[in-house]
Amino acid sequence: MGSDVLTERAWGSASTSDPSSTRTTNGAHGLRTASDATLPDPTPIIPYWSAKRHLTCGNPAPRSSSARLFPWRGSAPGKLKTANAALVLCLNIDVDPPDIIKTNPCAALECWVNPHSLPSHKALEAIGSNLQHQFEGLSLKIPYKPILDPSYEDLRRFCLTLRKQAKDETVCFYYNGHGVPKPTPSGELWCFNRNYTQYIPVSLMEVQTWLGSPGVYIWDCSAAGHLLSNFITFAERRDQDAFTTRGGYADGMQPYMNSLQLAACATHEQLPTCPELPADVFTSCLTSPIDIALRYFIMTHHLPNNITPDMVMQLPGDLKDRRTPLGELNWIFTAITDTIAWTTFPRDVFTRLYRSDLLIASLFRNFLLAERIMKNYHCTPHTHPPLPATNTHQLWAAWDLALDTCLRQLPELLAKSPGAPNSPPSPIIGTGARSGHSGQRGSSGAPNPEKPYQYIPSRFFTDQLTAFEVWISRGGSALTKRGPLSLPLQNGGDRCDTPDVVNGITAPDADLVPRKPPDQLPIVLQVLLSQPHRLRALILLSQFVDLGPWAVNLVLTIGIFPYISKLLQAAGQDLRPVLIFIWARILAVDPSVQVDLYNTGGFKYFANVLATQEDNELPNSSEHKAMCAFILSAVARDFYNGQMACWRERVFDACSERLEEGDFLLRQWSALCIAQIWDSNDEVKVYGVDRGIQDKLILMLSDDSPEVRSAVLYALSTFMGAAGGKGQGGAGTGTQYQLEERIHFRMEVAVATGATLAVRDDASPMVRKELLVLISCLVREWRGHFVVCAWMYWEEDRRWRAGEPQTHHHHHAEEEVTAQALAEWLDGFGDDEGSREENRVLLSSFFTIFVVLMELTIDPYHEVATLAQTVMDYIFALLLASPFAKLNLVPPLPVDHKPAGANGMHSRVSSAQGSPLIPHPPSPSLSRPSNTLRRTSSFANTLRHLAGGIPFPSSDEARAPPSPVPSSLSRSDVLAASRPPSPNFNVAQYASPYSRPPTPSRDKERDLASPPVSPTAGTATFLPSHVMEALVEEDMVRLRARRREGAHGRRSAGSGLGHAGGSAGGGLNSPCESTFSMDSNVSNVPLGCGTGNGLRDVLPLKSSFFAWCCEYFTEPQMRQTEADEPGSVQYNYQVWRQQRNEQVITETQKQAIVAESSRWDRPVANLHVNSHPLCMAMHAYDPHLVIANDNDMISVWDWTQRKRLNHFCNGNPKGTSITSLQIINQDVGGIIMTGAADGIVRLYRNYDPTVNQGPLQMVSSFRALHELIRVRRGSGLVLDWKQSGGTLLVGGDSRIIRVWDAHTETQVLDLETNCESPVTSITSDQGSSSTFIVGFADGLVKVFDRRLEEEDAIVRSYHDHHSWVQNVKYHPRISGQFLSGSLAGEVRLWDLRGSDTAIQAWDLHHTGLSAFDVHSQTGVFATTSALTPANFRHQRLMIHSISDSLLLSTLSLPTGLNAYPSRPPTPYIPRHTSFAFHPMEMLYAIGQPDGSVKITGCKLT
């Protein structure tokens, strides 16, 4: 078949980890799956926020306890390696033993020699020589010692010598007792005295003593079962005595029970005496299986052309040459017996017997033939360990077919072969003696004038490959229920890899397991030896390992590793794609093979591919190079030799060149490979800095792919000291001895600052998590600077929180504390203005990072907030332990002090509700970033957290539950109900800087909450500037120690300077003189403030991003996902949805025409929700209504059943509210998107429990607007979602409108509104247009065009409204027209192509308008009247036609209010009721203050 086509089909695979990459938009770099050409056109709707990263946030899926992989290297206890062998022959030719009665005729051949055709001593020597040659045919590396008719003394001496030579390795002991009595029931075998006049018994106890352990014993004699059973008895006794008396064996010696045995028959059985068979048929099966198999076949099958045994024994060829008939049969026999063993024996037994030692594997492989033949002669071979019967295995039929095919060609082969084909074999040695050699059989070298017969090879391997291909292509990859057709459990440990979490979600079919693998798997392994079949076999293997880790483990267990390793030396270009693919899967499952790739130099193969510039030499070049980068990163991970080897092969340079490739996967893995190569490696870090790699990485933080941005941050984190492997990490960027000290310092700060400013506002929580790891590295190495920043911030914050009336003089003095300290510290640099400015800028950079870190402590994504709190509490703990705690500037806050705000935190929102915590001016000498938000736990609360409280109490804990809570609910239940849903993998754990008890008492909490008392506590005689100088200098001394420590040698991973304190001498005198010293007698750690002594070493944080990325190479890439597989439950569900959606669209299009002139007063459903419904959204296709109330609770209702499906808390801070509500991805299900007045966008999935997709989860959350401004009456956060382009427009209490791209999860651009009023509504055309319309609180309506420059983006402005624009909507039927409604009760119709005045106006509510909306399918709009003191019990609803100016319906709706509300339920929504049209159907929903929601429809008939 077309191998090139197969190769391309097998390796081209679209990434499943990033739907937002260039693959989805740029076909030039896209990779197609195998079945892309045959599938129908995909649905154009892209489900956003549904990629793997949104379901896992960069956390690897937890492995279930049943997902353990079986060790494939044979490294389990009892591994055997044969060192030498004793071949003991007790034949005593011409003298029959007394207990054996031979038939006439009788089997006579021993090792294919007739012992009676020669003098007895010559026959014995010939038999011994043949036996040695036959064993050498199994394994040439082992020395074999024939021991012919030995006496007791000779046997003992030879055995002791063998054990001495073998040391701790295995000894093979072969015993042929055909010339001595049967073994005794008590376990004695026989030999001779020196004169051969007596049989001397030898106990197995003595043999065990001589040969020791381990051993391989072959018993070829009648009643051999006595030896096997007694050996086991004696071995158990010896092992028990050893463990009882000595506690076990010495190192290197294995228990006797680990020995292997092969016995020819059972205790009551006698060896076959059939004259057509050799006397040593058991030995012949074990050592010359092809000869005995051929002889047995012609005995049991009728063949044409009178094929005789003599002709069979002249079958031409070489056992080692697979192109000859004999070699091909040997090859087929090996494949079949391997397959029989693999499909029959337990996995650990197979690995031990068939993958540990070549001789043992050959013996046990050939034993299967002995069992098949001898059982037909009432003789049952036995082994220890006992093995299941295999003589009736179905593959023996394939062996018979192969023999039949070969032997039918034998007459012509012999007739046209060189030499004399009909010459009889030698009567002494025969052809069998040559079977152990690799020489040619049946060739004499004489010239033959005739053209030789062309042997037709067997189709065995071709047919088996076809069977394997059929299994893969006809559903072998599908999962099934556990049973006879599923992957079997092996030994209770080798379970298939079926984690409970699939693609980040709890799979509804988690009880399904992989199918039983095809029997042809070991045969495919054997085919790798054949050049003609190799490519096809590799392609099939790659398709098999693509099924998952369980398939990779099976392939490794079978023994593919040595074959696949040798293939790396092949020069064929056609093998490169498949080898890269298979090696990527192997390393993803078993990273330990990194050592093998390093030792064999195999990694150079992938380094060369990665460095190749020509892309046309490799199909799907980018993805295969990404696989090479992954393989090389796995070689370098946690392995210094691998790092240096990759560096020497210029892998580091190749990866840096690939950082600018168009394929996101290659960029991602190039960055990750760089991360692993320079992880804890000073030499490579120096090399990277010299080439500016860190600057190149920082520039990549604007990449479109969140995976690439995370990978870049991961690389920068390992550069800054984070652990890329199992180590703890630390020690910053290493020595950097080529840089000056100050330049080194500035570089580390610049890297962290640049990365922080680049991604602080990233919409992907996975990226923000990696940023925290990077920041934690800087905090660990430069903790003194962060303590200074924390003190300055805390001093200002503490004074601000106090809020006490103070005299102007006292207040002025306090204001000057931080400024004076900063000025005095800068004065310490003298008149060097450059040094003063440099240090001021550096401290400002630290302060910027510190403020960003505080923002991240209240990140809406729980994992990010948890990690940030770990870092922040570590800084606070350092601050408590620093001399700042001794400064008696102001009385400390009491522990139980709880300032205003939720949970003692600053309110982050700068809007109209008037929090007293207004951001105060920054320090006069140290400028803060203008847009930083300074909300953090109070110092006392931080201490309470450290003392063992909840690290991250949600701001919703203090809220009342949305409904009365039954008394049966515990407090934990209440808190769970009032907290927002967690992400799917909420695995981040808070790490306290203190070692705290699990449940401390209140007294203990108070003790821990108190600042530690210094030995020098009392009146401080030093100034804040002295402490600043000491802390900063301590950081510099730590840097110098680090540079000295590793300047001339490699430091091991994680060998940072001690613990987090970095100082060995805590409790020193206060550093009022800023003196430092080095305690050479203790350590090389700088002494000074002793900041951080006694704290836990919780930094730097550990990232799991690399492990998560590695999962990509364990997931199927060559086949469709389950949701895209025709016939699957998910596929059928989506097909049904698509058909249902099309039907809904068709029906509503017909209804839309009628609805423009019909009444809209048909009651549909009445619901009652708790509290006041403020925002509502209806699903376009499902009967779902989403309601957000004034308690920030979101409820989901099935309005057809009048049933609440779900409810949960949004989690925004108290004092804010949900101001926008959207449902996205409606074609394929739906994700709820909320926008709250705190500037946060949150997304939730699985809100409908009826479809069984798992628990409700937060998909993502991010700060959509940073620059919220305080206004008298704000609008909070206003969202507009455009599904067709994946664009989110965000405005509100801000002077900008931010455009977010859901593909890349980044902000595309910011557009200035040029208006002082907040944005009240945004609407965009659902087509491909880039224009959108914005309404403002002052009545302005503006049209923006995103394609223009920012200063020219406002293309139209309309001024007819003079009050708050409640909503703007496009005309549903006429392109280029839109409507707007203001609180004054005016509705205007505008034409974008006309003048700046409205083309039509309606003045519907003289007392004011409450809600305004336009149906998206039909030309009608709705308005509701505002509530006034004169009319608040009822509200007027008007449904109006746009085109005909007809009033279609007017309803008076009761509000349920008993008194006029003086203000709206939230300051962000200037209305008391809510209204929403259905996106498709002719329905609308209206919510009233009493919690009633009415759904009403149009009367279409």
Side-chain angles (χ1 to χ4, degrees):
M1 18 189 349
S3 59
D4 293 337
V5 176
L6 278 175
T7 305
E8 285 201 36
R9 184 188 68 180
W11 290 218
S13 56
S15 166
T16 59
S17 64
D18 184 76
S20 66
S21 71
T22 55
R23 296 178 186 223
T24 60
T25 57
N26 191 343
H29 303 290
L31 300 179
R32 296 171 60 86
T33 57
S35 53
D36 279 349
T38 59
L39 283 179
D41 292 335
T43 305
I45 298 298
I46 300 175
Y48 300 98
W49 280 287
S50 300
K52 179 185 175 184
R53 67 174 180 270
H54 300 116
L55 309 181
T56 61
C57 194
N59 296 306
R63 289 287 185 89
S64 63
S65 58
S66 62
R68 295 189 301 271
L69 299 177
F70 188 79
W72 55 271
R73 293 180 183 270
S75 57
K79 180 179 179 180
L80 304 175
K81 182 180 179 182
T82 307
N84 49 29
L87 309 179
V88 180
L89 290 167
C90 296
L91 296 178
N92 197 15
I93 297 173
D94 297 332
V95 179
D96 293 337
D99 57 348
I100 297 295
I101 301 176
K102 293 186 177 181
T103 62
N104 189 17
C106 182
L109 295 180
E110 298 278 356
C111 297
W112 305 105
V113 175
N114 187 345
H116 305 294
S117 61
L118 291 172
S120 59
H121 66 281
K122 288 187 175 291
L124 185 61
E125 291 176 0
I127 292 171
S129 177
N130 266 17
L131 181 63
Q132 181 177 349
H133 290 322
Q134 290 175 199
F135 269 95
E136 287 173 350
L138 303 181
S139 178
L140 273 172
K141 297 181 179 180
I142 299 172
Y144 301 94
K145 176 63 177 176
I147 305 175
L148 309 177
D149 287 350
S151 64
Y152 177 88
E153 293 79 7
D154 293 338
L155 184 61
R156 178 180 179 276
R157 176 167 48 84
F158 281 125
C159 288
L160 292 175
T161 302
L162 285 174
R163 172 45 63 193
K164 183 177 180 181
Q165 293 172 349
K167 298 181 181 178
D168 293 331
E169 294 182 339
T170 304
V171 171
C172 177
F173 183 80
Y174 167 84
Y175 174 73
N176 182 326
H178 296 176
V180 292
K182 299 177 185 178
T184 65
S186 59
E188 294 172 321
L189 53 86
W190 300 89
C191 61
F192 308 97
N193 63 356
R194 289 198 176 274
N195 298 324
Y196 296 96
T197 58
Q198 289 182 330
Y199 298 114
I200 306 298
V202 183
S203 173
L204 281 180
M205 287 287 286
E206 295 179 285
V207 176
Q208 289 179 346
T209 302
W210 299 339
L211 292 177
S213 178
V216 179
Y217 297 87
I218 304 171
W219 313 117
D220 187 358
C221 57
S222 297
H226 286 310
L227 297 178
L228 185 142
S229 58
N230 281 284
F231 187 97
I232 295 174
T233 303
F234 298 152
E236 289 177 342
R237 189 181 307 162
R238 283 179 179 270
D239 292 343
Q240 186 175 1
D241 291 344
F243 283 99
T244 302
T245 57
R246 301 190 300 273
Y249 292 101
D251 291 341
M253 185 173 179
Q254 298 185 24
Y256 283 88
M257 285 299 294
N258 282 359
S259 297
L260 306 177
Q261 298 183 77
L262 299 99
C265 57
T267 56
H268 60 282
E269 294 175 344
Q270 185 171 329
L271 294 178
T273 58
C274 177
E276 290 84 3
L277 295 177
D280 60 347
V281 60
F282 185 64
T283 300
S284 298
C285 289
L286 295 183
T287 58
S288 54
I290 304 302
D291 289 325
I292 189 66
L294 287 168
R295 183 179 288 258
Y296 175 74
F297 182 79
I298 63 171
M299 290 171 55
T300 55
H301 294 79
H302 296 288
L303 291 174
N305 303 324
N306 299 320
I307 298 176
T308 64
D310 291 339
M311 294 172 62
V312 168
M313 300 305 286
Q314 297 181 58
L315 181 67
D318 180 0
L319 286 173
K320 305 299 182 184
D321 188 353
R322 290 181 293 274
R323 295 169 297 181
T324 63
L326 190 64
E328 185 184 61
L329 283 181
N330 189 50
W331 185 27
I332 295 174
F333 177 79
T334 301
I336 286 179
T337 49
D338 247 13
T339 304
I340 291 174
W342 183 71
T343 56
T344 307
F345 301 156
R347 197 64 37 78
D348 58 339
V349 174
F350 176 84
T351 302
R352 183 174 180 231
L353 299 183
Y354 291 88
R355 294 297 180 261
S356 296
D357 180 78
L358 181 59
L359 176 64
I360 295 173
S362 299
L363 289 173
F364 276 88
R365 191 182 298 120
N366 299 341
F367 174 82
L368 306 182
L369 177 66
E371 182 184 30
R372 186 191 187 207
I373 293 177
M374 297 180 69
K375 278 191 173 181
N376 289 320
Y377 295 92
H378 310 290
C379 199
T380 308
H382 285 68
T383 62
H384 177 77
L387 300 175
T390 59
N391 59 303
T392 58
H393 197 281
Q394 59 187 7
L395 271 179
W396 285 120
W399 170 241
D400 290 338
L401 177 61
L403 288 176
D404 186 273
T405 304
C406 179
L407 291 178
R408 286 179 183 273
Q409 303 180 61
L410 182 58
E412 294 188 39
L413 281 171
L414 294 179
K416 297 185 179 183
S417 64
N422 294 324
S423 58
S426 166
I428 302 175
I429 300 179
T431 58
R434 290 189 292 272
S435 65
H437 294 287
S438 59
Q440 293 287 338
R441 286 177 50 171
S443 62
S444 63
N448 185 17
E450 295 185 23
K451 184 178 179 180
Y453 174 76
Q454 187 66 34
Y455 175 70
I456 302 175
S458 171
R459 288 189 50 84
F460 172 79
F461 289 105
T462 303
D463 293 341
Q464 296 299 319
L465 288 180
T466 302
F468 191 86
E469 187 174 19
V470 168
W471 185 89
I472 289 179
S473 61
R474 296 293 185 267
S477 60
L479 302 178
T480 185
K481 292 187 176 181
R482 194 171 298 283
L485 296 180
S486 66
L487 185 68
L489 295 176
Q490 293 290 341
N491 315 310
D494 181 22
R495 298 171 181 264
C496 56
D497 185 17
T498 54
D500 298 332
V501 180
V502 179
N503 288 335
I505 60 174
T506 304
D509 52 355
D511 58 334
L512 299 181
V513 296
R515 291 183 181 274
K516 183 181 179 182
D519 294 347
Q520 293 78 20
L521 197 54
I523 298 175
V524 175
L525 173 66
Q526 288 293 324
V527 178
L528 295 179
L529 301 172
S530 170
Q531 179 69 31
H533 302 294
R534 182 173 295 157
L535 180 60
R536 185 186 179 196
L538 284 173
I539 291 174
L540 291 175
L541 269 179
S542 67
Q543 294 173 349
F544 182 73
V545 299
D546 188 55
L547 299 181
W550 64 271
V552 177
N553 187 246
L554 282 179
V555 169
L556 290 173
T557 305
I558 289 171
I560 191 180
F561 191 75
Y563 297 86
I564 211 75
S565 298
K566 291 179 181 178
L567 286 177
L568 292 179
Q569 303 170 7
Q573 298 289 326
D574 56 339
L575 298 182
R576 291 204 306 184
V578 63
L579 285 177
I580 293 170
F581 188 93
I582 293 175
W583 271 103
R585 266 61 192 170
I586 291 175
L587 275 159
V589 173
D590 189 354
S592 68
V593 300
Q594 63 176 173
V595 180
D596 302 90
L597 277 179
Y598 168 76
N599 291 336
T600 61
F603 70 95
K604 297 179 182 178
Y605 185 91
F606 308 103
N608 293 333
V609 175
L610 183 62
T612 302
Q613 298 296 331
E614 295 79 9
D615 291 344
N616 55 359
E617 295 183 3
L618 196 65
N620 296 329
S621 172
S622 295
E623 182 156 358
H624 286 99
K625 288 180 179 178
M627 294 182 194
C628 290
F630 159 67
I631 292 169
L632 294 166
S633 66
V635 171
R637 191 182 191 196
D638 259 347
F639 186 37
Y640 175 72
N641 291 335
Q643 289 176 331
M644 300 308 294
C646 289
W647 181 41
R648 286 190 293 268
E649 288 295 318
R650 304 190 65 80
V651 173
F652 192 87
D653 297 318
C655 288
S656 65
E657 295 172 2
R658 299 286 176 262
L659 290 175
E660 299 174 357
E661 291 285 340
D663 187 272
F664 96 95
L665 192 66
L666 181 52
R667 299 197 305 273
Q668 172 187 343
W669 277 106
S670 297
L672 291 174
C673 188
I674 288 174
Q676 294 300 342
I677 294 177
W678 70 12
D679 175 31
S680 303
N681 192 311
D682 286 352
E683 297 96 317
V684 183
K685 286 183 180 180
V686 168
Y687 182 82
V689 169
D690 288 344
R691 280 149 186 79
I693 302 300
Q694 75 281 5
D695 297 329
K696 190 173 184 179
L697 290 172
I698 291 176
L699 293 176
M700 290 183 63
L701 289 174
S702 59
D703 195 277
D704 286 343
S705 169
E707 282 84 356
V708 175
R709 298 198 298 272
S710 298
V712 168
L713 287 170
Y714 182 86
L716 291 173
S717 298
T718 57
F719 175 70
M720 293 288 289
K726 299 177 182 177
Q728 173 63 29
T733 58
T735 59
Q736 299 297 330
Y737 49 79
Q738 84 284 11
L739 302 178
E740 296 180 6
E741 179 182 294
R742 295 294 297 181
I743 297 177
H744 187 182
F745 174 30
R746 293 202 303 267
M747 180 199 67
E748 292 195 356
V749 178
V751 168
T753 306
T756 301
L757 295 178
V759 299
R760 55 177 291 187
D761 295 330
D762 202 288
S764 172
M766 182 173 70
V767 177
R768 301 198 298 272
K769 274 175 55 180
E770 295 307 311
L771 174 63
L772 277 170
V773 177
L774 175 61
I775 293 176
S776 71
C777 298
L778 193 74
V779 171
R780 187 182 192 276
E781 297 304 318
W782 302 98
R783 43 190 170 273
H785 285 76
F786 280 98
V787 170
V788 171
C789 294
W791 173 76
M792 297 180 72
Y793 185 90
W794 180 251
E795 275 300 315
E796 296 183 11
D797 191 71
R798 184 202 53 75
R799 290 195 309 274
W800 189 29
R801 284 174 177 278
E804 301 168 351
Q806 300 172 351
T807 64
H808 177 75
H809 176 73
H810 187 196
H811 180 74
H812 180 73
E814 286 196 351
E815 283 288 343
E816 293 299 323
V817 170
T818 54
Q820 181 179 354
L822 178 61
E824 292 176 355
W825 175 64
L826 293 176
D827 289 341
F829 297 101
D831 297 332
D832 187 352
E833 194 62 33
S835 179
R836 290 167 58 91
E837 180 63 17
E838 178 192 36
N839 283 277
R840 191 194 69 80
V841 170
L842 285 171
L843 189 59
S844 179
S845 298
F846 278 107
F847 200 90
T848 300
I849 297 174
F850 177 80
V851 172
V852 171
L853 184 60
M854 283 195 298
E855 294 177 10
L856 293 173
T857 61
I858 55 164
D859 193 275
Y861 201 84
H862 185 273
E863 271 199 291
V864 178
T866 300
L867 295 175
Q869 185 74 3
T870 295
V871 181
M872 184 58 72
D873 281 0
Y874 179 78
I875 297 174
F876 281 165
L878 291 174
L879 179 59
L880 282 179
S882 72
F884 279 125
K886 305 170 190 175
L887 294 173
N888 191 21
L889 298 177
V890 292
L893 283 173
V895 173
D896 58 353
H897 174 71
K898 188 160 187 172
N903 267 354
M905 297 182 179
H906 278 303
S907 173
R908 180 161 193 160
V909 181
S910 306
S911 53
Q913 73 269 28
S915 167
L917 306 178
I918 302 172
H920 54 288
S923 169
S925 304
L926 184 66
S927 61
R928 282 197 184 95
S930 60
N931 296 323
T932 57
L933 300 172
R934 298 169 299 99
R935 171 185 175 190
T936 179
S937 297
S938 69
F939 218 53
N941 279 341
T942 301
L943 291 173
R944 189 177 295 114
H945 298 164
L946 298 176
I950 300 175
F952 272 101
S954 168
S955 59
D956 301 286
E957 285 182 20
R959 302 185 184 191
S963 58
V965 180
S967 58
S968 60
L969 292 179
S970 64
R971 172 171 170 77
S972 61
D973 296 329
V974 176
L975 292 180
S978 61
R979 287 177 175 172
S982 295
N984 184 34
F985 283 176
N986 190 18
V987 298
Q989 297 293 325
Y990 170 79
S992 169
Y994 298 125
S995 298
R996 52 181 180 171
T999 53
S1001 63
R1002 185 169 299 274
D1003 293 338
K1004 183 65 175 178
E1005 288 186 20
R1006 189 175 296 110
D1007 293 341
L1008 287 172
S1010 302
V1013 180
S1014 171
T1016 59
T1019 302
T1021 59
F1022 51 87
L1023 299 177
S1025 60
H1026 295 150
V1027 183
M1028 292 176 62
E1029 182 180 354
L1031 289 170
V1032 169
E1033 184 62 21
E1034 187 180 23
D1035 282 350
M1036 296 305 299
V1037 173
R1038 192 181 300 111
L1039 173 64
R1040 296 179 194 121
R1042 186 213 309 171
R1043 289 166 62 88
R1044 282 194 303 270
E1045 181 182 358
H1048 303 291
R1050 173 185 173 271
R1051 295 186 316 98
S1052 60
S1055 59
L1057 297 176
H1059 275 289
S1063 174
L1068 298 178
N1069 292 334
S1070 56
C1072 47
E1073 302 300 329
S1074 301
T1075 56
F1076 291 82
S1077 64
M1078 296 293 294
D1079 188 353
S1080 58
N1081 295 326
V1082 179
S1083 69
N1084 62 344
V1085 181
L1087 304 179
C1089 299
T1091 307
N1093 285 337
L1095 296 183
R1096 291 175 57 200
D1097 199 4
V1098 297
L1099 300 185
L1101 299 173
K1102 288 279 289 184
S1103 172
S1104 59
F1105 180 72
F1106 186 85
W1108 178 80
C1109 291
C1110 291
E1111 287 184 344
Y1112 173 81
F1113 297 103
T1114 64
E1115 298 163 352
Q1117 303 297 327
M1118 296 188 191
R1119 60 186 177 93
Q1120 301 173 102
T1121 60
E1122 190 73 9
D1124 297 327
E1125 188 69 39
S1128 67
V1129 175
Q1130 297 96 315
Y1131 182 88
N1132 292 342
Y1133 175 70
Q1134 289 302 331
V1135 168
W1136 171 82
R1137 283 192 65 92
Q1138 187 172 359
Q1139 294 173 349
R1140 191 274 314 268
N1141 296 350
E1142 292 173 354
Q1143 182 180 359
V1144 170
I1145 293 173
T1146 303
E1147 292 177 355
T1148 53
Q1149 286 176 346
K1150 297 177 182 178
Q1151 297 172 0
I1153 301 174
V1154 181
E1156 290 188 13
S1157 57
S1158 301
R1159 295 184 59 82
W1160 287 69
D1161 53 3
R1162 176 175 60 88
V1164 176
N1166 290 329
L1167 310 175
H1168 188 80
V1169 301
N1170 294 316
S1171 197
H1172 194 151
L1174 294 182
C1175 297
M1176 296 190 299
M1178 300 186 78
H1179 198 288
Y1181 306 107
D1182 295 329
H1184 295 161
L1185 172 65
V1186 183
I1187 303 172
N1189 64 19
D1190 56 349
N1191 285 331
D1192 303 322
M1193 296 297 296
I1194 299 170
S1195 56
V1196 183
W1197 292 77
D1198 184 334
W1199 50 266
T1200 60
Q1201 304 292 328
R1202 298 170 179 81
K1203 174 184 176 183
R1204 190 178 73 179
L1205 301 176
N1206 220 325
H1207 77 293
F1208 54 93
C1209 179
N1210 190 52
N1212 43 291
K1214 190 175 182 180
T1216 64
S1217 61
I1218 299 171
T1219 55
S1220 291
L1221 195 61
Q1222 304 270 351
I1223 304 177
I1224 69 172
N1225 299 344
Q1226 298 189 37
D1227 288 69
V1228 295
I1231 290 179
I1232 296 176
M1233 175 189 290
T1234 67
D1238 59 352
I1240 302 293
V1241 170
R1242 297 171 174 85
L1243 298 105
Y1244 305 97
R1245 65 190 293 267
N1246 299 343
Y1247 59 82
D1248 182 5
T1250 61
V1251 293
N1252 297 322
Q1253 292 180 336
L1256 176 71
Q1257 296 164 358
M1258 177 185 287
V1259 180
S1260 183
S1261 54
F1262 60 96
R1263 188 166 299 282
L1265 274 186
H1266 238 299
E1267 298 78 9
L1268 294 177
I1269 57 177
R1270 291 185 61 86
V1271 292
R1272 185 178 61 85
R1273 188 174 68 177
S1275 59
L1277 197 67
V1278 179
L1279 306 179
D1280 179 75
W1281 168 252
K1282 188 171 183 177
Q1283 182 75 40
S1284 60
T1287 304
L1288 179 65
L1289 304 176
V1290 182
D1293 296 336
S1294 175
R1295 292 187 176 90
I1296 66 168
I1297 295 174
R1298 182 161 290 169
V1299 183
W1300 291 89
D1301 185 358
H1303 285 284
T1304 63
E1305 297 186 64
T1306 56
Q1307 57 188 59
V1308 180
L1309 76 161
D1310 289 347
L1311 299 176
E1312 293 285 342
T1313 62
N1314 295 337
C1315 183
E1316 297 297 322
S1317 299
V1319 172
T1320 59
S1321 58
I1322 307 175
T1323 186
S1324 57
D1325 187 0
Q1326 292 306 309
S1328 58
S1329 173
S1330 296
T1331 59
F1332 60 91
I1333 305 168
V1334 180
F1336 294 88
D1338 59 359
L1340 276 175
V1341 177
K1342 297 184 178 183
V1343 181
F1344 291 77
D1345 192 332
R1346 294 195 288 118
R1347 297 167 295 183
L1348 303 178
E1349 296 295 331
E1350 294 185 17
E1351 59 271 13
D1352 301 326
I1354 302 176
V1355 293
R1356 298 293 296 271
S1357 295
Y1358 303 95
H1359 304 271
D1360 282 17
H1361 291 296
H1362 302 288
S1363 62
W1364 183 294
V1365 177
Q1366 187 67 292
N1367 205 352
V1368 289
K1369 288 286 186 179
Y1370 273 97
H1371 195 297
R1373 313 284 287 182
I1374 303 176
S1375 175
Q1377 294 186 4
F1378 69 94
L1379 293 91
S1380 62
S1382 70
L1383 292 184
E1386 305 165 338
V1387 176
R1388 298 284 188 267
L1389 175 64
W1390 314 86
D1391 193 329
L1392 292 172
R1393 298 156 295 190
S1395 65
D1396 291 343
T1397 58
I1399 60 176
Q1400 191 169 355
W1402 295 269
D1403 191 0
L1404 302 176
H1405 302 282
H1406 299 288
T1407 59
L1409 178 145
S1410 177
F1412 167 72
D1413 198 8
V1414 180
H1415 200 286
S1416 59
Q1417 302 297 320
T1418 186
V1420 300
F1421 67 86
T1423 59
T1424 58
S1425 62
L1427 302 186
T1428 62
N1431 188 7
F1432 61 86
R1433 297 185 185 275
H1434 291 81
Q1435 184 180 39
R1436 189 181 184 195
L1437 167 65
M1438 303 177 67
I1439 307 293
H1440 212 286
S1441 173
I1442 301 175
S1443 58
D1444 300 332
S1445 299
L1446 296 177
L1447 182 62
L1448 302 179
S1449 295
T1450 302
L1451 288 83
S1452 180
L1453 304 173
T1455 62
L1457 296 176
N1458 296 321
Y1460 175 71
S1462 58
R1463 56 183 178 181
T1466 171
Y1468 301 101
I1469 301 178
R1471 50 180 167 79
H1472 293 274
T1473 59
S1474 54
F1475 181 92
F1477 269 118
H1478 194 285
M1480 299 299 298
E1481 299 185 32
M1482 306 301 118
L1483 300 171
Y1484 60 88
I1486 183 168
Q1488 297 292 346
D1490 61 352
S1492 62
V1493 177
K1494 293 182 174 60
I1495 299 175
T1496 310
C1498 176
K1499 290 182 178 179
L1500 299 173
T1501 57

